[in-house]
Amino acid sequence: MTIPARKGTSVALTAGQKLRVENTFGSQVLDTWAFSAADFGEYMAMEATRSWNSRLTPAVGDVLVSNRYRPMLKLVEDTTPGVHDTLMCCCSPGIYAKMGYPAHDNCEDNFHAALKAIGRDVDFTPGPLNLFMNFPVTPDGQITREPPVSKPGDYVVFEALVDVVVVFSACPQDISAVNGAGRMPTDAHYTVFGDAQ
Amino acid sequence: MTIPARKGTSVALTAGQKLRVENTFGSQVLDTWAFSAADFGEYMAMEATRSWNSRLTPAVGDVLVSNRYRPMLKLVEDTTPGVHDTLMCCCSPGIYAKMGYPAHDNCEDNFHAALKAIGRDVDFTPGPLNLFMNFPVTPDGQITREPPVSKPGDYVVFEALVDVVVVFSACPQDISAVNGAGRMPTDAHYTVFGDAQ
């Protein structure tokens, strides 16, 4: 299935199923959220995920943890060098307004639109898992901004540990090089496979 | 005013006022949140604060930014070595259950109790600013856990940039050394001063 350039979408997974997320053209950042299908009050929380794993960025074998400190997804495969981001908010009307582009497409609106498309919404925006985003942290705690290091066809695979709804936004940032030096947001793709538990 | 050991409390500030938060006994972590007094849908967001400042931890002169990407507080003074945390969720029933202490006092319950005490609440728990907490990040992105480096009487001062309600929890963690090698949560104190704008 396609995650269209500059847009959001969602996919429901049953516990035990796997989700393969491909950076088809290599340099597209995918802001990613997850909710418990049974209760959208339970959401994947980067602050809980960092606490559980004692790591800034999940590695293969790590779990992604909810605001209730329960594992929701497990990262089971990653063909990239493992560079993703858990630190930064998604791009939003506020960010683009500050940059001088007040009407720019943005991941926050994409996130809420993707939820509304399935008849849901939440009144806040959790901090996302920014797949493929390359914002290195210097030893003195500065956060820098670099293009992705992933290559076309690179992918990550998650296993659903509970029934979840995953939301993606193919980040529409085309002012900086977040989505590659070409500053051209692209489609990405996902596949669901494996048996439910 | 006292922030009682193991408990939460809140304080309202008018734009222009300053808030001095003292680590009276030197090693108490204070989980800290803020809301716009006009709209509790707007809250201080660590993921937005890191994005705005391009830094893991706010330094003197930096602002603390809301989920709507608007500055809410400014860090104007810090007598500590500047070691605070923005990465970790607050301690919660889920964390203590995982550690084998399911009924332990926790900052999440303190946060919601402090809001309820002023007739408010929210149905989620933003990632907190963990004042005085010393969780260094290694160059390879591991997050370690060390006792605070602050000293008795050290303090930080925030200026309110909008009308805000600040919520504190004097972290009740007494199993690990988060609140010092003595593992003894203590009171801390705050003062509001200065003129409203």
Side-chain angles (χ1 to χ4, degrees), chain B residues 64-86:
Chain B
L64 295 122
V65 177
S66 80
N67 59 315
R68 297 184 188 153
Y69 221 67
R70 297 193 287 211
M72 299 183 79
L73 296 169
K74 184 175 184 177
L75 180 59
V76 294
E77 191 175 357
D78 185 353
T79 72
T80 78
V83 175
H84 311 284
D85 174 79
T86 72

Side-chain angles (χ1 to χ4, degrees), chain A residues 156-167:
Chain A
V156 294
V157 178
F158 298 103
E159 179 182 351
L161 303 176
V162 293
D163 295 353
V164 291
V165 174
V166 174
V167 181

Side-chain angles (χ1 to χ4, degrees), chain B residues 95-117:
Chain B
I95 284 187
Y96 288 113
K98 181 169 182 273
M99 297 177 76
Y101 298 84
H104 200 280
D105 292 342
N106 62 84
C107 287
E108 183 170 277
D109 286 349
N110 288 346
F111 164 74
H112 291 287
L115 286 176
K116 285 177 183 163

